[in-house]
Amino acid sequence: MSIDKNNHLREVLDTHKMCHVQNFVNKVKKRREEIKAKMHNHYGSDKYPSFGSGSFAKHTATNVKFDLDLVEPFKRNAFGTLQEMFDSVYNFLAEEYKNTGVTIRRQKVSIGVSFPIEEGDEKPVELDVVPGRELSVDDYLDSHDLNLCFNEDHWGFKKGTSQKTNIQKQIAHIQGKESERQIIRLLKIWKKQKDKKYKSFVIELAVIKALDGYNGDKELWSRLKYTMEYLRDYIAESSFHLYDPGNTNNDVIAAMQDYDRQSFKSDMESMLNNINCNPDFYLPYYFKANEKYCGYKEKSVGAAYPTSVKRFG
């Protein structure tokens, strides 16, 4: 019997739901609240309230890869330069967690915090703290615009330079788009399983653009196939743009090398051709269910239960 594409893709999404790892998510949230409180106590009136970002905030997370980032918006006069802001947050967290086994690392625009693996966990609790500074005095509460600091040379930016962003607008851009979120999750699952290096933000924006105005069949495979065809046809074209909703002057696809765009196009083309020729083999090959949670059914928010007495994972 030939594979039911829609049933298979639903199983892929179901087995990658966050509810299956709710205990671990709660640990990450607890650590995030811990850092949030430390930042508030230390910086006080120099900053605005922290807020969460990343794939969890956008509801595009999967249980094999998710981000519960913490954005720290600072007031314009809190620091003389963006590099001073970045270094201050890094040094503060490094001192707070000194000799505790917690790893604090400088990243492109954020500070990574990695806690030791606890008993029963397969991986450490990891968080990114993203410091940003409002563009002008008392502007943030109205605009939510922030300047991020590039802590290292990257994407053509020099260390200490800035990039304007609006993370609230990025989150709002995907609100209410559950149909698009499903396809984003599927492509992120493929990306993780096949170790592709394409940025998740590129996938997110590209899927939203592909499905803008889509009025075809609402089934999962039809929407996924349409999106893959769209990316095959357009992503490598010089006229194709993906503008950051947090900064419309930032064309996200422009930072993607031509060979990476061609590679993305080729990936979409080969996947479509192979699935068309042999769906029974290639659909599960490219989009594999999380076997650890196969056989579970969700009975309530935040919990998952096995459909039999068999133990999983």
Side-chain angles (χ1 to χ4, degrees), residues 90-276:
Y90 171 81
N91 291 333
F92 168 68
L93 291 173
E95 185 62 30
E96 280 293 296
Y97 288 105
K98 186 177 180 180
N99 299 324
T100 63
V102 176
T103 300
I104 310 294
R105 62 191 179 279
R106 298 173 182 268
Q107 301 177 149
K108 289 184 286 289
V109 294
S110 64
I111 293 95
V113 185
S114 180
F115 295 87
I117 296 178
E118 296 182 4
E119 185 177 352
D121 291 338
E122 298 177 355
K123 55 186 177 180
V125 168
E126 295 183 319
L127 291 160
D128 289 343
V129 179
V130 185
R133 189 180 67 175
E134 65 180 348
L135 275 60
S136 57
V137 175
D138 297 332
D139 169 73
Y140 173 76
L141 291 178
D142 291 327
S143 70
H144 293 105
D145 289 338
L146 292 170
N147 270 330
L148 303 181
C149 174
F150 279 90
N151 180 62
E152 59 185 51
D153 294 353
H154 195 73
W155 299 328
F157 290 89
K158 294 295 184 183
K159 179 179 171 69
T161 57
S162 67
Q163 172 70 57
K164 176 194 166 189
T165 192
N166 191 312
I167 297 169
Q168 299 284 18
K169 286 183 179 178
Q170 291 175 351
I171 295 172
H173 184 64
I174 200 170
Q175 282 182 343
K177 294 183 171 70
E178 181 53 33
S179 179
E180 290 84 349
R181 285 194 190 111
Q182 288 180 321
I183 306 306
I184 292 166
R185 290 189 201 105
L186 285 170
L187 288 177
K188 286 174 68 174
I189 290 165
W190 159 75
K191 169 182 179 280
K192 175 69 175 176
Q193 290 176 345
K194 300 306 177 188
D195 195 29
K196 300 294 181 178
K197 303 304 181 185
Y198 311 124
K199 291 189 174 299
S200 293
F201 193 38
V202 168
I203 291 175
E204 175 187 319
L205 294 179
V207 170
I208 292 173
K209 184 169 185 174
L211 293 176
D212 184 28
Y214 174 76
N215 57 5
D217 192 316
K218 301 302 181 184
E219 291 286 359
L220 267 175
W221 170 243
S222 296
R223 286 182 283 128
L224 177 60
K225 180 174 179 286
Y226 179 89
T227 302
M228 292 166 65
E229 290 171 340
Y230 180 92
L231 296 176
R232 176 199 63 194
D233 294 342
Y234 294 107
I235 197 161
E237 297 295 316
S238 60
S239 59
F240 185 76
H241 304 285
L242 290 174
Y243 294 107
D244 181 353
N247 179 357
T248 54
N249 291 320
N250 178 27
D251 183 7
V252 175
I253 201 72
M256 197 172 178
Q257 298 293 330
D258 288 344
Y259 63 82
D260 287 327
R261 294 171 71 165
Q262 287 291 340
S263 178
F264 203 126
K265 172 187 173 72
S266 296
D267 279 339
M268 295 298 107
E269 188 168 31
S270 62
M271 287 165 65
L272 286 163
N273 290 339
N274 288 335
I275 293 171
N276 182 58

